[in-house]
Amino acid sequence: QVQLVESGGGSVQAGGSLRLSCAVSGRALSAYRIGWFRQVPGKEREFVARIPWYAGTPYYADYVKGRFSVSRDNAKNMVYLQMNSLNSEDTAVYYCAAARISISAYEDWGQGTQVTVSS
């Protein structure tokens, strides 16, 4: 099991930036990938980006390509989501989650952090 804690959410004006952090703990983390998701009330949770814990390249949803960047710091057990050029449609609760590389489902989730973008 993996424990995840998000931080860094807040309010920002359109065009601004935020960096979300995900503190990750657990055993055998090299067997996992970490994903970022977001959810707006009344809508389904949607995928944002993912990165393997140990090695490999990130992958992004089309609507964040060129604006968001996911990175990891294995020494600090942290994963980051840098969000630039934010717009009101990026307003959501953002979650980080962990999935074993061998399976597709994300089994462990953080509590979420609110991001609000005002126009």
Side-chain angles (χ1 to χ4, degrees):
Q1 189 175 8
V2 177
Q3 294 77 44
L4 308 108
V5 179
E6 304 94 337
S7 61
S11 297
V12 64
Q13 289 193 332
S17 299
L18 277 176
R19 188 178 80 156
L20 304 183
S21 299
C22 177
V24 184
S25 60
R27 299 177 63 181
L29 292 177
S30 60
Y32 287 81
R33 64 181 182 273
I34 306 300
W36 284 97
F37 295 79
R38 67 187 188 185
Q39 188 169 24
V40 175
K43 295 188 178 181
E44 291 189 357
R45 189 174 297 181
E46 61 182 5
F47 169 79
V48 175
R50 68 171 185 253
I51 188 168
W53 176 254
Y54 184 67
T57 57
Y59 179 82
Y60 301 92
D62 286 343
Y63 56 83
V64 303
K65 283 181 181 177
R67 299 191 299 127
F68 290 13
S69 176
V70 60
S71 62
R72 60 178 177 259
D73 186 333
N74 294 128
K76 295 182 178 180
N77 276 21
M78 297 292 292
V79 175
Y80 304 100
L81 183 68
Q82 177 67 44
M83 306 186 295
N84 300 325
S85 302
L86 287 162
N87 59 63
S88 58
E89 294 183 348
D90 296 316
T91 295
V93 177
Y94 284 72
Y95 300 88
C96 59
R100 282 175 285 176
I101 292 175
S102 59
I103 64 173
S104 61
Y106 286 84
E107 298 178 313
D108 300 303
W109 293 82
Q111 82 288 352
T113 186
Q114 176 71 46
V115 171
T116 302
V117 183
S118 58
S119 56

